[in-house]
PDB file of all heavy atoms in Angstrom:
ATOM      1  N   TYR A  23      -3.895   5.124  14.398  1.00 98.00           N
ATOM      2  CA  TYR A  23      -3.423   5.567  15.729  1.00 98.00           C
ATOM      3  C   TYR A  23      -4.413   6.595  16.261  1.00 98.00           C
ATOM      4  O   TYR A  23      -4.866   6.307  17.391  1.00 98.00           O
ATOM      5  CB  TYR A  23      -1.998   6.195  15.530  1.00 98.00           C
ATOM      6  CG  TYR A  23      -0.967   5.209  15.110  1.00 98.00           C
ATOM      7  CD1 TYR A  23      -0.731   4.975  13.742  1.00 98.00           C
ATOM      8  CD2 TYR A  23      -0.291   4.387  16.039  1.00 98.00           C
ATOM      9  CE1 TYR A  23       0.274   4.008  13.373  1.00 98.00           C
ATOM     10  CE2 TYR A  23       0.751   3.499  15.667  1.00 98.00           C
ATOM     11  CZ  TYR A  23       0.961   3.233  14.349  1.00 98.00           C
ATOM     12  OH  TYR A  23       1.925   2.396  13.933  1.00 98.00           O
ATOM     13  N   PRO A  24      -4.739   7.742  15.751  1.00 98.00           N
ATOM     14  CA  PRO A  24      -5.823   8.514  16.245  1.00 98.00           C
ATOM     15  C   PRO A  24      -7.217   7.787  16.343  1.00 98.00           C
ATOM     16  O   PRO A  24      -7.908   8.101  17.317  1.00 98.00           O
ATOM     17  CB  PRO A  24      -5.917   9.802  15.321  1.00 98.00           C
ATOM     18  CG  PRO A  24      -4.589   9.712  14.436  1.00 98.00           C
ATOM     19  CD  PRO A  24      -4.252   8.261  14.476  1.00 98.00           C
ATOM     20  N   GLN A  27      -7.153   5.827  19.495  1.00 97.00           N
ATOM     21  CA  GLN A  27      -7.191   6.738  20.647  1.00 97.00           C
ATOM     22  C   GLN A  27      -8.473   7.318  21.008  1.00 97.00           C
ATOM     23  O   GLN A  27      -8.744   7.623  22.147  1.00 97.00           O
ATOM     24  CB  GLN A  27      -6.183   7.857  20.493  1.00 97.00           C
ATOM     25  CG  GLN A  27      -4.665   7.456  20.815  1.00 97.00           C
ATOM     26  CD  GLN A  27      -3.771   8.712  20.777  1.00 97.00           C
ATOM     27  OE1 GLN A  27      -3.991   9.691  20.102  1.00 97.00           O
ATOM     28  NE2 GLN A  27      -2.646   8.650  21.501  1.00 97.00           N
ATOM     29  N   TRP A  89      -4.191  -0.749  22.106  1.00 97.00           N
ATOM     30  CA  TRP A  89      -4.731   0.471  22.442  1.00 97.00           C
ATOM     31  C   TRP A  89      -6.229   0.470  22.985  1.00 97.00           C
ATOM     32  O   TRP A  89      -6.760   1.308  23.584  1.00 97.00           O
ATOM     33  CB  TRP A  89      -4.575   1.524  21.399  1.00 97.00           C
ATOM     34  CG  TRP A  89      -3.172   1.896  21.162  1.00 97.00           C
ATOM     35  CD1 TRP A  89      -2.057   1.250  21.419  1.00 97.00           C
ATOM     36  CD2 TRP A  89      -2.710   3.168  20.594  1.00 97.00           C
ATOM     37  NE1 TRP A  89      -0.855   1.867  21.114  1.00 97.00           N
ATOM     38  CE2 TRP A  89      -1.262   3.089  20.438  1.00 97.00           C
ATOM     39  CE3 TRP A  89      -3.389   4.268  19.963  1.00 97.00           C
ATOM     40  CZ2 TRP A  89      -0.526   4.087  19.936  1.00 97.00           C
ATOM     41  CZ3 TRP A  89      -2.510   5.213  19.518  1.00 97.00           C
ATOM     42  CH2 TRP A  89      -1.127   5.229  19.472  1.00 97.00           C
ATOM     43  N   ASP A 203       5.225   3.485  14.499  1.00 98.00           N
ATOM     44  CA  ASP A 203       4.780   3.784  15.917  1.00 98.00           C
ATOM     45  C   ASP A 203       5.370   5.078  16.492  1.00 98.00           C
ATOM     46  O   ASP A 203       4.792   5.692  17.212  1.00 98.00           O
ATOM     47  CB  ASP A 203       5.247   2.688  16.669  1.00 98.00           C
ATOM     48  CG  ASP A 203       4.401   1.434  16.339  1.00 98.00           C
ATOM     49  OD1 ASP A 203       3.431   1.407  15.609  1.00 98.00           O
ATOM     50  OD2 ASP A 203       4.839   0.349  16.927  1.00 98.00           O
ATOM     51  N   ARG A 204       6.641   5.355  16.002  1.00 97.00           N
ATOM     52  CA  ARG A 204       7.208   6.709  16.481  1.00 97.00           C
ATOM     53  C   ARG A 204       6.501   7.909  15.951  1.00 97.00           C
ATOM     54  O   ARG A 204       6.129   8.835  16.705  1.00 97.00           O
ATOM     55  CB  ARG A 204       8.788   6.764  16.052  1.00 97.00           C
ATOM     56  CG  ARG A 204       9.671   5.845  16.969  1.00 97.00           C
ATOM     57  CD  ARG A 204      11.031   6.167  16.435  1.00 97.00           C
ATOM     58  NE  ARG A 204      11.970   5.186  17.027  1.00 97.00           N
ATOM     59  CZ  ARG A 204      12.876   4.455  16.512  1.00 97.00           C
ATOM     60  NH1 ARG A 204      12.924   4.449  15.103  1.00 97.00           N
ATOM     61  NH2 ARG A 204      13.663   3.582  17.216  1.00 97.00           N
ATOM     62  N   GLY A 205       6.380   7.949  14.649  1.00 97.00           N
ATOM     63  CA  GLY A 205       5.644   9.078  14.023  1.00 97.00           C
ATOM     64  C   GLY A 205       6.594  10.332  14.031  1.00 97.00           C
ATOM     65  O   GLY A 205       7.694  10.256  14.554  1.00 97.00           O
ATOM     66  N   VAL A 206       6.048  11.364  13.596  1.00 97.00           N
ATOM     67  CA  VAL A 206       6.685  12.666  13.416  1.00 97.00           C
ATOM     68  C   VAL A 206       5.930  13.691  14.237  1.00 97.00           C
ATOM     69  O   VAL A 206       4.679  13.756  14.008  1.00 97.00           O
ATOM     70  CB  VAL A 206       6.869  13.116  11.995  1.00 97.00           C
ATOM     71  CG1 VAL A 206       7.809  14.279  11.866  1.00 97.00           C
ATOM     72  CG2 VAL A 206       7.531  11.927  11.152  1.00 97.00           C
ATOM     73  N   PHE A 207       6.530  14.584  14.849  1.00 97.00           N
ATOM     74  CA  PHE A 207       5.990  15.660  15.674  1.00 97.00           C
ATOM     75  C   PHE A 207       5.590  16.743  14.700  1.00 97.00           C
ATOM     76  O   PHE A 207       6.291  17.155  13.904  1.00 97.00           O
ATOM     77  CB  PHE A 207       6.919  16.183  16.790  1.00 97.00           C
ATOM     78  CG  PHE A 207       6.448  17.207  17.649  1.00 97.00           C
ATOM     79  CD1 PHE A 207       5.389  16.931  18.425  1.00 97.00           C
ATOM     80  CD2 PHE A 207       6.936  18.431  17.601  1.00 97.00           C
ATOM     81  CE1 PHE A 207       4.827  17.932  19.326  1.00 97.00           C
ATOM     82  CE2 PHE A 207       6.381  19.439  18.422  1.00 97.00           C
ATOM     83  CZ  PHE A 207       5.328  19.149  19.255  1.00 97.00           C
ATOM     84  N   ILE A 208       4.328  17.282  14.934  1.00 96.00           N
ATOM     85  CA  ILE A 208       3.711  18.351  14.229  1.00 96.00           C
ATOM     86  C   ILE A 208       3.793  19.599  14.971  1.00 96.00           C
ATOM     87  O   ILE A 208       3.298  19.639  16.149  1.00 96.00           O
ATOM     88  CB  ILE A 208       2.271  17.887  13.797  1.00 96.00           C
ATOM     89  CG1 ILE A 208       2.324  16.738  12.889  1.00 96.00           C
ATOM     90  CG2 ILE A 208       1.634  19.081  13.039  1.00 96.00           C
ATOM     91  CD1 ILE A 208       2.817  16.855  11.567  1.00 96.00           C
ATOM     92  N   ASP A 209       4.079  20.665  14.331  1.00 96.00           N
ATOM     93  CA  ASP A 209       4.068  21.992  14.976  1.00 96.00           C
ATOM     94  C   ASP A 209       2.603  22.449  14.862  1.00 96.00           C
ATOM     95  O   ASP A 209       2.305  23.119  13.991  1.00 96.00           O
ATOM     96  CB  ASP A 209       5.059  22.974  14.221  1.00 96.00           C
ATOM     97  CG  ASP A 209       5.254  24.301  14.961  1.00 96.00           C
ATOM     98  OD1 ASP A 209       4.246  24.713  15.751  1.00 96.00           O
ATOM     99  OD2 ASP A 209       6.240  24.971  14.673  1.00 96.00           O
ATOM    100  N   VAL A 210       1.862  22.080  15.916  1.00 96.00           N
ATOM    101  CA  VAL A 210       0.399  22.373  15.840  1.00 96.00           C
ATOM    102  C   VAL A 210       0.129  23.876  15.715  1.00 96.00           C
ATOM    103  O   VAL A 210      -0.776  24.352  15.027  1.00 96.00           O
ATOM    104  CB  VAL A 210      -0.355  21.751  16.946  1.00 96.00           C
ATOM    105  CG1 VAL A 210      -1.890  22.044  17.090  1.00 96.00           C
ATOM    106  CG2 VAL A 210      -0.147  20.230  16.909  1.00 96.00           C
ATOM    107  N   ALA A 304      -4.772  13.524  11.291  1.00 96.00           N
ATOM    108  CA  ALA A 304      -3.997  12.352  11.506  1.00 96.00           C
ATOM    109  C   ALA A 304      -3.033  12.523  12.731  1.00 96.00           C
ATOM    110  O   ALA A 304      -2.448  11.513  13.133  1.00 96.00           O
ATOM    111  CB  ALA A 304      -3.003  12.083  10.335  1.00 96.00           C
ATOM    112  N   ARG A 305      -3.150  13.578  13.448  1.00 96.00           N
ATOM    113  CA  ARG A 305      -2.211  13.710  14.667  1.00 96.00           C
ATOM    114  C   ARG A 305      -2.863  13.023  15.812  1.00 96.00           C
ATOM    115  O   ARG A 305      -4.116  13.015  16.036  1.00 96.00           O
ATOM    116  CB  ARG A 305      -2.001  15.162  14.927  1.00 96.00           C
ATOM    117  CG  ARG A 305      -3.115  16.067  15.518  1.00 96.00           C
ATOM    118  CD  ARG A 305      -2.638  17.505  15.686  1.00 96.00           C
ATOM    119  NE  ARG A 305      -3.693  18.301  16.121  1.00 96.00           N
ATOM    120  CZ  ARG A 305      -3.941  18.717  17.384  1.00 96.00           C
ATOM    121  NH1 ARG A 305      -3.102  18.239  18.321  1.00 96.00           N
ATOM    122  NH2 ARG A 305      -4.929  19.386  17.660  1.00 96.00           N
ATOM    123  N   CYS A 306      -1.939  12.524  16.708  1.00 97.00           N
ATOM    124  CA  CYS A 306      -2.436  11.829  17.925  1.00 97.00           C
ATOM    125  C   CYS A 306      -2.438  12.832  18.997  1.00 97.00           C
ATOM    126  O   CYS A 306      -2.111  14.015  18.855  1.00 97.00           O
ATOM    127  CB  CYS A 306      -1.450  10.725  18.216  1.00 97.00           C
ATOM    128  SG  CYS A 306      -1.402   9.253  17.035  1.00 97.00           S
ATOM    129  N   LEU A 307      -2.716  12.388  20.176  1.00 96.00           N
ATOM    130  CA  LEU A 307      -2.888  13.212  21.294  1.00 96.00           C
ATOM    131  C   LEU A 307      -1.703  13.937  21.751  1.00 96.00           C
ATOM    132  O   LEU A 307      -1.638  14.954  22.387  1.00 96.00           O
ATOM    133  CB  LEU A 307      -3.512  12.444  22.546  1.00 96.00           C
ATOM    134  CG  LEU A 307      -4.810  11.927  22.312  1.00 96.00           C
ATOM    135  CD1 LEU A 307      -5.417  11.128  23.559  1.00 96.00           C
ATOM    136  CD2 LEU A 307      -5.968  12.986  22.032  1.00 96.00           C
ATOM    137  N   ASP A 308      -0.511  13.309  21.440  1.00 96.00           N
ATOM    138  CA  ASP A 308       0.735  13.853  21.809  1.00 96.00           C
ATOM    139  C   ASP A 308       1.360  14.704  20.522  1.00 96.00           C
ATOM    140  O   ASP A 308       2.541  15.026  20.560  1.00 96.00           O
ATOM    141  CB  ASP A 308       1.846  12.747  22.155  1.00 96.00           C
ATOM    142  CG  ASP A 308       2.053  11.824  20.987  1.00 96.00           C
ATOM    143  OD1 ASP A 308       1.377  11.835  19.959  1.00 96.00           O
ATOM    144  OD2 ASP A 308       2.830  10.910  21.122  1.00 96.00           O
ATOM    145  N   ASP A 309       0.517  15.045  19.624  1.00 96.00           N
ATOM    146  CA  ASP A 309       0.844  15.894  18.523  1.00 96.00           C
ATOM    147  C   ASP A 309       1.793  15.217  17.501  1.00 96.00           C
ATOM    148  O   ASP A 309       2.514  15.864  16.803  1.00 96.00           O
ATOM    149  CB  ASP A 309       1.412  17.275  18.938  1.00 96.00           C
ATOM    150  CG  ASP A 309       0.256  18.039  19.668  1.00 96.00           C
ATOM    151  OD1 ASP A 309      -0.841  17.862  19.356  1.00 96.00           O
ATOM    152  OD2 ASP A 309       0.684  18.953  20.445  1.00 96.00           O
ATOM    153  N   ARG A 310       1.848  13.972  17.399  1.00 97.00           N
ATOM    154  CA  ARG A 310       2.770  13.271  16.519  1.00 97.00           C
ATOM    155  C   ARG A 310       1.765  12.604  15.508  1.00 97.00           C
ATOM    156  O   ARG A 310       0.632  12.199  15.822  1.00 97.00           O
ATOM    157  CB  ARG A 310       3.589  12.123  17.160  1.00 97.00           C
ATOM    158  CG  ARG A 310       4.602  12.751  18.115  1.00 97.00           C
ATOM    159  CD  ARG A 310       5.582  11.636  18.637  1.00 97.00           C
ATOM    160  NE  ARG A 310       6.630  11.331  17.773  1.00 97.00           N
ATOM    161  CZ  ARG A 310       7.870  11.977  17.726  1.00 97.00           C
ATOM    162  NH1 ARG A 310       8.035  12.879  18.423  1.00 97.00           N
ATOM    163  NH2 ARG A 310       8.689  11.508  16.821  1.00 97.00           N
ATOM    164  N   VAL A 311       2.113  12.540  14.286  1.00 97.00           N
ATOM    165  CA  VAL A 311       1.502  11.891  13.170  1.00 97.00           C
ATOM    166  C   VAL A 311       2.252  10.532  12.954  1.00 97.00           C
ATOM    167  O   VAL A 311       3.379  10.525  12.605  1.00 97.00           O
ATOM    168  CB  VAL A 311       1.508  12.675  11.896  1.00 97.00           C
ATOM    169  CG1 VAL A 311       0.782  11.940  10.699  1.00 97.00           C
ATOM    170  CG2 VAL A 311       0.694  13.939  12.108  1.00 97.00           C
ATOM    171  N   ARG A 312       1.434   9.443  13.107  1.00 97.00           N
ATOM    172  CA  ARG A 312       1.991   8.100  12.940  1.00 97.00           C
ATOM    173  C   ARG A 312       1.491   7.354  11.793  1.00 97.00           C
ATOM    174  O   ARG A 312       0.388   7.787  11.237  1.00 97.00           O
ATOM    175  CB  ARG A 312       1.689   7.346  14.159  1.00 97.00           C
ATOM    176  CG  ARG A 312       2.402   7.854  15.452  1.00 97.00           C
ATOM    177  CD  ARG A 312       2.053   7.077  16.768  1.00 97.00           C
ATOM    178  NE  ARG A 312       2.901   7.462  17.812  1.00 97.00           N
ATOM    179  CZ  ARG A 312       2.845   8.449  18.622  1.00 97.00           C
ATOM    180  NH1 ARG A 312       1.700   9.288  18.437  1.00 97.00           N
ATOM    181  NH2 ARG A 312       3.598   8.696  19.598  1.00 97.00           N
ATOM    182  N   ARG A 376      11.256  17.175  18.460  1.00 94.00           N
ATOM    183  CA  ARG A 376      10.925  17.436  19.810  1.00 94.00           C
ATOM    184  C   ARG A 376      11.972  18.388  20.445  1.00 94.00           C
ATOM    185  O   ARG A 376      13.111  18.157  20.157  1.00 94.00           O
ATOM    186  CB  ARG A 376      10.594  16.257  20.617  1.00 94.00           C
ATOM    187  CG  ARG A 376       9.185  15.571  20.470  1.00 94.00           C
ATOM    188  CD  ARG A 376       8.176  16.392  21.208  1.00 94.00           C
ATOM    189  NE  ARG A 376       6.914  15.739  21.345  1.00 94.00           N
ATOM    190  CZ  ARG A 376       5.850  16.259  22.020  1.00 94.00           C
ATOM    191  NH1 ARG A 376       5.867  17.486  22.410  1.00 94.00           N
ATOM    192  NH2 ARG A 376       4.787  15.536  22.080  1.00 94.00           N
TER     193      ARG A 376
END
Side-chain angles (χ1 to χ4, degrees):
Y23 297 88
Q27 278 189 331
W89 292 22
D203 289 351
R204 285 185 182 125
V206 185
F207 183 62
I208 298 291
D209 189 336
V210 175
R305 70 184 177 96
C306 293
L307 298 177
D308 60 356
D309 294 337
R310 296 185 81 89
V311 174
R312 295 176 167 86
R376 277 284 195 184

